[in-house]
């Protein structure tokens, strides 16, 4: 007897979210099957890669990650342009790392300046991400929302503690929200409900489940994302049917194994290829779990993932 | 698949003698159904019942053992599609390829890397498992010599790769005692390969052109009495290969389709010429159901991430790996040595203790019970907070072991320092670095 392929029927779909400026609108989401299970559903748009740009020159990156950007580290706008022009970034993610009160604690006004410059330098959608310090993010992102009205930025992390302030600001000034909760399906759902109650329309929400690096908690994130997709697609859980954004590069490049030299750890091989593979492998596993937008750093990792996605959707 | 307690009960002796350790047959049946007891515990069960129970409870995906001794590898036996449903059980075997047309140095390099590339993590040793020996020349003598070399120089499990039965036969004689995988039986050679698998008791990989052909072959082989089968769907395109893995796993689990109820072998080494991409393909098969993953080479920068991926995906999702709380002496500390405190998530413990060790500064590491949660997670969950950490420090006895009154907390837990100082009275709380990689530099500066 011929083998009958066991297919699953889905009754939900991921919402389609328009991103970026009117003239260069991009849509993410729309899947009607598990990631890349194209034999039983659709993935109308392949996942997108956003490349990172930092608001201040990073001081703790290994050589492998610094090298491609050596000429632009001082200038976030030029950095963003380079990512788009040289590496084909489909989006840019501006990391406001220097605003962190535990590091440089740069003021909100400065973050607004940087955001404006970067937004003016590129056509692709712009993600603006805080330092994950609740009070500071609330202040910084709120000011950015106001000052950059009409740019349709993606602002995050918007957390349970800041959703009222940031939800309202995004609503008023037309930005999209990166709704962030710590690796928990129910918390993610709850925040989406709260945002809905506040009046934030569905097409302005992306979900950030928080992720860890390969070897440092990735497995939890992987499973939470799988469960999230399961609820969204097979259990019609309407408040989980949002595209997922994974802010992974900063997690990967902070771990010891992406920094340590070959002299110190000869068994870990070539440090630049190792870092690239750690990033790309983390990204691939998150793609298989349900990521729609990957925030990535190294051009080689970006290229590897882009090639892989093309293979996964190839006819 | 699994029988219910009642179904099992009907097959038991119903003597209620209690020799199995529980008072009644019904209770024993319930334990069996829940997987909490072994049928062997009942001395009275009939042979027929045993056979019936074994058959009905046979796993939907067979378990195949490769190799011998300490390096014996077990693949298959999986019971779920998603790891959160239960857990993925038997991590895929990672294999490196050598061929009989490779230069000697090439082969030697690969075997050397196979032997030396291993990593300690969370108390486990991570390494590759298998060497795949392939005949390209189709010369039986050359193939046999290479296989013998692999057998003599490593303790690896072996995959013998040739579709020519006569080439396979010579070689198999030389290394059957290592229980290698015979790769592969195809439509053309199935009878001869089956004969060899039967005689040698070695597992047999079945390579078909698509799943229907695979199913035809495995059906025939099972009827022949062969159980230790491994499936290669034949596909080498990435998208289709992913689909095949999903179909095989679903077929076995959702449809109880026996002809596909076997572990798989995947060959990223035949799917691309780009080594970086090959490594990514391998990680896809780690997540999506590969049983054996054959790589063209092993390099530290490729193997290490892949082994991490395998460890992550195959970690039991229900239970974080935890270390026992208490005082750990690192490097022979004395009463002037620094005291550091951390959580009992295994990953954290091993990373932090490793860094302290490499600093060569003798130190006391106090591990607080956080129910297996990492520092920040435990802090957020209220388990690594000032009073809890303070009470643990007071109770564990560390205060009698040192003359100074200083404790170093993780940088990410800086927020607890006030509460902790309050709890500890006259002790000083020092906020250490955030990332453990900075611990050595920090400890070298430390003075009591
Ligand atoms: C995996 C994970 C989980 C897993 C648990 C994994 C585990 N066993 O702990 C799960 C999914 C269960 C989980 C749950 C929660 N999580 Co969680 N989780 C993570 C994640 C992704 C990774 C954590 C990890 O494994 N790190 C790796 C280990 C090795 O790190 P570590 O223990 O901190 O150790 C490092 C350093 O601290 C240092 N170090 C350690 N000890 C010492 C000691 C000294 C002396 C020094 C100097 C240094 C040092 O060395 C290590 C390596 O550098 C992080 C986010 C992230 N990307 O980090 C969130 C995160 C920690 N979780 C968070 C939260 C809020 C939670 C929940 C409370 C959510 C909720 N409300 O349910 C729950 C709590 C659990 C509960 N109630 O039981 C937050 C914490 C926010 C905050 N800043 O307080 C985080 C940061 C996510 C976020 N950004 O929101 N989580
Ligand atoms: S030992 Fe066997 S017969 Fe006796 S109670 Fe247990 S199951 Fe029943």
């Amino acid at each position: 007897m011929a083998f009958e392929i066991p297919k699953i029927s889905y009754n939900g779909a991921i919402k389609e979210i328009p991103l970026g400026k009117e003239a260069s609108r991009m849509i993410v989401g729309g899947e009607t099957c598990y990631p890349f299970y194209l034999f039983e559903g659709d993935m109308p748009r392949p996942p997108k890669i956003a490349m990172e740009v930092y608001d201040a020159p990073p001081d703790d990156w290994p050589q492998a990650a610094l090298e491609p950007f050596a000429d632009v580290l001082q200038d976030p706008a030029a950095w963003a342009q380079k990512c788009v022009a040289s590496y084909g970034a489909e989006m840019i993610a501006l990391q406001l790392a220097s605003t962190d009160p535990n590091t440089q604690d740069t003021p909100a006004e400065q973050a607004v300046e940087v955001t404006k410059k970067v937004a003016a330098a590129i056509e692709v959608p712009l993600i603006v991400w805080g330092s994950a310090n609740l009070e500071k993010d609330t202040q910084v992102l709120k000011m950015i929302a106001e000052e950059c009205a009409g740019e349709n930025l993606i602002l995050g992390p918007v957390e349970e503690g800041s959703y009222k302030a940031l939800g309202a600001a995004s609503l008023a000034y037309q930005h999209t929200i990166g709704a962030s909760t710590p690796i928990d399906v129910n918390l993610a759902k709850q925040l989406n409900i709260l945002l809905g109650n506040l009046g934030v329309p569905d097409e302005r929400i992306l979900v950030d489940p928080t992720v860890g690096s390969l070897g440092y908690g990735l497995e939890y994130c992987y499973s939470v994302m799988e469960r999230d997709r399961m609820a969204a697609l097979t259990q019609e859980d309407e408040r989980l049917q949002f595209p997922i954004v994974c802010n992974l590069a900063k997690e990967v490049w902070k771990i010891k194994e992406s920094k340590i030299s070959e002299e110190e750890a000869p068994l870990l091989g070539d440090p630049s290829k190792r870092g690239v593979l750690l990033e790309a492998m983390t990204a691939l596993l998150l793609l298989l779990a349900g990521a729609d937008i990957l925030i990535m750093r190294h051009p080689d990792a970006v290229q590897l993932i882009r090639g892989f996605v093309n293979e996964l959707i190839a006819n | 698949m699994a029988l219910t307690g009642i179904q099992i009960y009907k097959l038991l002796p119903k003597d209620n003698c209690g020799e199995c350790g529980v008072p009644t047959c019904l209770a024993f049946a319930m334990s069996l159904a829940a997987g909490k007891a072994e049928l062997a515990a009942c001395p009275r069960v009939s042979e027929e019942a045993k056979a019936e129970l074994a058959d009905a409870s046979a796993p939907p995906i067979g378990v195949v053992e490769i190799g011998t001794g300490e390096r014996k590898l077990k693949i298959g036996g999986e019971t779920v599609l998603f790891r959160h449903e239960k857990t993925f059980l038997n991590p895929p075997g990672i294999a490196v390829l050598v061929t009989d047309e490779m230069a000697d140095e090439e082969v030697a390099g690969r075997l050397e890397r196979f032997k030396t590339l291993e990593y300690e993590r969370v108390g486990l040793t991570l390494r590759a498992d298998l060497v795949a020996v392939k005949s390209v020349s189709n010369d039986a003598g050359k193939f046999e010599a290479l296989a013998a070399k692999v057998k003599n120089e490593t303790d690896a499990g072996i995959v013998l790769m040739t579709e020519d039965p006569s080439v396979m036969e010579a070689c198999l004689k030389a290394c059957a005692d290592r229980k290698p995988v015979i790769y592969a039986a195809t439509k053309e050679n199935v009878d001869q390969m089956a004969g060899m698998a039967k005689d040698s008791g070695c597992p047999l990989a079945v390579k078909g052109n698509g799943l229907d052909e695979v199913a035809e072959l495995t059906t025939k082989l099972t009827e022949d009495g062969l159980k230790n089968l491994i499936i290669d769907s034949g596909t080498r395109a990435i998208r289709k290969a992913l689909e095949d893995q999903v179909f095989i796993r679903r077929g076995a689990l959702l449809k109880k389709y026996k002809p596909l109820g076997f572990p798989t072998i995947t060959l990223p080494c035949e799917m691309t010429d780009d080594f970086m991409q090959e490594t990514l393909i391998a990680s896809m098969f780690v997540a999506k159901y590969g049983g054996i993953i054959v790589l063209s080479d092993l390099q530290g920068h490729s193997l290490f991430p892949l082994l991490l991926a395998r460890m992550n995906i195959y970690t039991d999702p229900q239970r974080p790996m935890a270390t026992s709380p208490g005082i750990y002496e690192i490097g022979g500390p004395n009463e002037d040595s620094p005291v550091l405190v951390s959580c009992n998530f295994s990953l954290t413990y091993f990373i932090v203790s490793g860094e302290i060790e490499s600093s060569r500064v003798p130190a006391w590491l106090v591990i607080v019970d956080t129910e297996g949660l990492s520092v920040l997670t435990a802090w957020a969950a209220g388990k690594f907070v000032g009073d809890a950490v303070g009470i643990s420090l007071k109770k564990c006895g560390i205060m009698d072991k040192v003359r100074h009154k200083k404790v170093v907390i993780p940088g990410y837990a800086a927020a607890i320092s006030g509460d902790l100082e309050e709890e500890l009275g006259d002790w000083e709380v020092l906020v250490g670095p955030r990332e453990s990689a900075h611990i050595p530099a920090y400890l070298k500066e430390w003075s009591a």
Side-chain angles (χ1 to χ4, degrees), chain B residues 42-112:
Chain B
C42 168
R44 305 183 175 207
V45 69
S46 71
E47 286 305 316
E48 297 96 81
K50 262 190 211 165
E52 201 164 327
L53 280 170
D55 215 38
S57 63
I61 297 174
V63 175
V64 174
E65 291 185 346
I66 303 161
T68 52
E70 267 181 39
R71 296 298 294 279
K72 191 194 284 182
L73 175 77
K74 219 172 158 187
I75 57 171
E78 300 300 332
T79 59
V80 293
L81 291 164
F82 297 97
R83 62 184 290 281
H84 64 81
E85 292 171 332
K86 194 148 182 242
T87 180
F88 289 175
L89 292 169
N90 295 310
I94 292 177
V96 62
L97 181 75
V98 294
T99 79
D100 61 357
E101 295 217 316
M102 262 177 203
D104 286 350
E105 329 59 282
E106 282 282 338
V107 173
R110 280 171 175 70
L111 296 184
E112 184 56 27

Side-chain angles (χ1 to χ4, degrees), chain A residues 46-109:
Chain A
K48 300 285 188 284
I49 301 177
M51 286 182 76
E52 283 188 323
V53 166
Y54 278 73
D55 62 344
D59 56 8
D60 59 347
W61 289 17
Q63 194 50 35
L66 286 174
E67 216 170 56
F69 309 111
D71 52 338
V72 291
L73 292 171
Q74 307 288 339
D75 182 349
W79 187 344
Q81 282 173 331
K82 181 169 190 183
C83 288
V84 175
S86 304
Y87 306 124
E90 293 154 303
M91 306 169 83
I92 293 296
L94 174 62
Q95 307 268 22
L96 299 174
S98 78
T99 61
D100 188 344
N102 294 309
T103 62
Q104 298 179 48
D105 203 12
T106 52
E109 291 75 13

Side-chain angles (χ1 to χ4, degrees), chain A residues 1-8 10 34-40 100 102-103 183 213-220 222-223 226-227 230 254-257 259 266-274 276-278 280-281 284-285 288 300 304-305 307-308 311-315, chain B residues 81-85 116-119 121 211-212 215 238-239 242-243 246-248 250-251 254-255 257 260 274 276-277 279-281 283-284 287-289 299-302 304-306 308-309 311-313 315 317 319-321 345 347 351 355 358 372 412 434-435 437-438:
Chain A
M1 130 188 134
F3 171 55
E4 189 201 324
I5 291 164
K7 293 192 179 161
I8 293 182
Y10 302 95
Y34 290 148
F36 303 101
Y37 284 21
L38 298 171
F39 48 85
E40 59 189 9
D100 188 344
N102 294 309
T103 62
I183 347 169
S213 168
L214 187 62
Y216 290 80
L218 174 82
E219 67 273 36
Y220 295 94
Y222 180 89
S223 284
E226 282 198 330
R227 288 173 52 207
M230 208 172 249
K254 83 170 188 204
I255 70 170
K256 179 178 178 173
E257 290 84 355
K259 295 182 171 176
L267 292 184
L268 291 180
D270 181 324
S272 52
K273 289 183 184 154
R274 186 203 317 136
V276 166
L277 276 174
L278 284 165
M281 205 175 278
L284 177 62
L285 291 170
L288 292 173
D300 292 353
L304 272 170
I305 289 298
F308 210 100
E311 289 285 342
L312 284 170
I313 58 175
N315 263 314
Chain B
L81 291 164
F82 297 97
R83 62 184 290 281
H84 64 81
E85 292 171 332
T116 51
L117 292 178
E118 56 173 52
Y119 311 92
R121 205 166 171 91
L211 296 179
D212 282 333
I238 293 176
R239 172 175 170 179
L242 170 66
E243 284 182 13
V246 175
F247 293 163
I248 293 168
R250 279 193 188 169
L254 302 181
K255 299 255 163 158
Y257 184 64
L260 294 182
D274 177 331
M276 302 285 271
Q277 189 182 49
T279 311
L280 285 188
I281 298 174
S283 70
M284 173 181 87
K288 293 293 175 180
Y289 316 147
Q299 295 291 341
H301 55 256
S302 65
F304 178 72
L306 187 59
L308 283 187
M311 185 177 79
N312 279 173
I313 296 293
T315 295
R319 239 177 319 134
M321 288 193 274
F345 182 32
L347 179 62
I351 294 173
E355 292 296 347
S358 72
Y412 282 116
R434 291 177 147 212
E435 295 302 328
H438 300 138

Side-chain angles (χ1 to χ4, degrees), chain A residues 183 211 220 251, chain B residues 342 345 348 372-375 377 379 434-436:
Chain A
I183 347 169
V211 297
Y220 295 94
E251 300 296 332
Chain B
S342 189
F345 182 32
T348 308
L373 295 179
S374 76
V375 170
T377 313
W379 176 72
R434 291 177 147 212
E435 295 302 328
S436 56

Side-chain angles (χ1 to χ4, degrees), chain B residues 50-201:
Chain B
K50 262 190 211 165
E52 201 164 327
L53 280 170
D55 215 38
S57 63
I61 297 174
V63 175
V64 174
E65 291 185 346
I66 303 161
T68 52
E70 267 181 39
R71 296 298 294 279
K72 191 194 284 182
L73 175 77
K74 219 172 158 187
I75 57 171
E78 300 300 332
T79 59
V80 293
L81 291 164
F82 297 97
R83 62 184 290 281
H84 64 81
E85 292 171 332
K86 194 148 182 242
T87 180
F88 289 175
L89 292 169
N90 295 310
I94 292 177
V96 62
L97 181 75
V98 294
T99 79
D100 61 357
E101 295 217 316
M102 262 177 203
D104 286 350
E105 329 59 282
E106 282 282 338
V107 173
R110 280 171 175 70
L111 296 184
E112 184 56 27
R113 289 191 287 281
F114 176 84
K115 284 188 281 193
T116 51
L117 292 178
E118 56 173 52
Y119 311 92
E120 293 295 324
R121 205 166 171 91
V122 219
L124 305 169
T125 304
L126 311 184
R127 52 184 301 182
D129 314 274
L130 306 165
V131 178
V133 184
K134 182 173 181 175
S135 163
V136 177
S137 68
N138 221 33
D139 174 331
K142 269 182 154 179
F143 188 42
E144 193 183 329
L146 181 62
K149 183 179 165 75
V150 171
K151 185 181 139 184
N152 294 334
E153 291 181 13
T154 71
D155 55 0
I158 296 174
V159 182
L160 294 174
M161 301 176 71
T162 172
E163 290 172 21
D164 183 331
S166 59
V167 174
M168 181 66 81
E169 187 157 32
C171 187
L172 189 59
K173 281 212 183 85
C175 57
D177 56 338
R178 186 61 76 75
K179 288 276 174 285
V181 176
I182 303 173
Y183 176 100
T186 63
K187 219 168 153 184
E188 286 70 39
N189 67 19
V190 59
D191 292 324
Q192 290 131 300
M193 291 293 193
M196 282 184 253
K198 233 183 212 170
D199 294 344
S200 63

